[in-house]
Amino acid sequence: MSDLSQMAPSAAPSSRDWLRPSAVALVVANVVPLLGVLWFGWKVFPLLLLFWFENLIIGAFNVLKMLLASPADGKSWAAKCFLVPFFSFHYGMFTLIHGVFVIGLFGGQFRHGAPFPGVETVLALIRQEHLGWAILGLTISHGISFGLNYLGGGEYRRASLGVLMAQPYGRIVVLHLTILGGAFLMAALGSPVVGLVLLVVLKIGLDLSAHLKERKRVAAVGE
């Protein structure tokens, strides 16, 4: 019988996968928005603003990943001189447009006379919606994954610049689908609180699944 089945990573995460420190940190960080909905009465906008800001966190860590990828490959450094600035500009513009629509449509910034939402507007909204601790938790969560998996686990040695460039965009698409799914749930259940809770829970499940699949994919590349 072929040995391919033994080499391929298992489809279902094991209990060891679920107990990874980075996986636990991801769940804990995403529980903060859940508490915000249940205890502090967060509505749709604070959640969307928090989820959007997480895209900035992911983009910043992705730049670090690209800079540190395949350090032993001399040719990759020449590619980084072009790809890192290109990613930073392209992803930055993509995220900026996304943020303008989130803040404009859901934060009321498209009203007549409202200024174009800039850095000061974002910081003011973060303070107004009390998102500081939630943002800190998400930053720590991604930092733990970066430190333990990417650096400590040696993933940077076999990371592909092309794959790294595409990863954040896939997450944003999933996030949009999650938001749409949550909107349908809120409409079907007729309860904004229940709908928002299910939206957060759905996001946790999607984030955790993507995180574990990425770990398995990287491990398979190294075999």
Side-chain angles (χ1 to χ4, degrees):
M1 181 178 293
S2 173
D3 292 332
L4 291 177
S5 60
Q6 297 178 1
M7 294 175 61
S10 59
S14 65
S15 58
R16 184 179 179 181
D17 293 327
W18 294 106
L19 294 177
R20 283 175 176 266
S22 56
V24 174
L26 183 152
V27 173
V28 171
N30 277 283
V31 166
V32 176
L34 187 61
L35 299 178
V37 171
L38 294 175
W39 289 357
F40 299 106
W42 285 6
K43 304 302 180 184
V44 173
F45 176 62
L47 278 180
L48 295 185
L49 183 62
L50 177 63
F51 293 168
W52 170 79
F53 198 92
E54 188 179 8
N55 293 332
L56 299 180
I57 298 171
I58 290 172
F61 275 111
N62 204 57
V63 169
L64 291 177
K65 288 181 178 181
M66 293 178 69
L67 288 172
L68 297 175
S70 305
D73 184 2
K75 295 180 180 179
S76 71
W77 288 101
K80 291 175 188 178
C81 292
F82 170 75
L83 292 179
V84 172
F86 177 79
F87 170 81
S88 300
F89 175 79
H90 190 275
Y91 186 77
M93 292 300 296
F94 186 87
T95 309
L96 172 63
I97 295 172
H98 183 193
V100 168
F101 276 97
V102 168
I103 294 173
L105 291 176
F106 297 94
Q109 293 296 312
F110 279 171
R111 65 184 184 277
H112 180 69
F116 184 83
V119 175
E120 292 184 359
T121 302
V122 173
L123 294 178
L125 289 171
I126 288 172
R127 290 191 296 267
Q128 176 184 313
E129 303 294 345
H130 308 290
L131 299 179
W133 286 108
I135 290 174
L136 178 61
L138 291 173
T139 304
I140 292 174
S141 169
H142 288 285
I144 289 174
S145 179
F146 176 77
L148 293 181
N149 299 316
Y150 195 73
L151 296 180
E155 292 181 1
Y156 70 97
R157 296 191 185 96
R158 50 192 182 275
S160 164
L161 288 175
V163 172
L164 288 174
M165 284 190 65
Q167 279 181 348
Y169 296 97
R171 182 192 175 277
I172 292 178
V173 171
V174 172
L175 179 60
H176 279 299
L177 293 176
T178 303
I179 292 171
L180 289 174
F184 281 118
L185 284 172
M186 281 185 278
L189 295 171
S191 173
V193 173
V194 174
L196 288 171
V197 168
L198 291 176
L199 172 59
V200 175
V201 172
L202 181 59
K203 178 184 178 292
I204 293 174
L206 291 171
D207 276 356
L208 185 58
S209 175
H211 177 76
L212 296 178
K213 286 180 180 178
E214 182 181 350
R215 304 282 74 77
K216 283 185 172 292
R217 178 187 57 77
V218 174
V221 171
E223 291 178 353

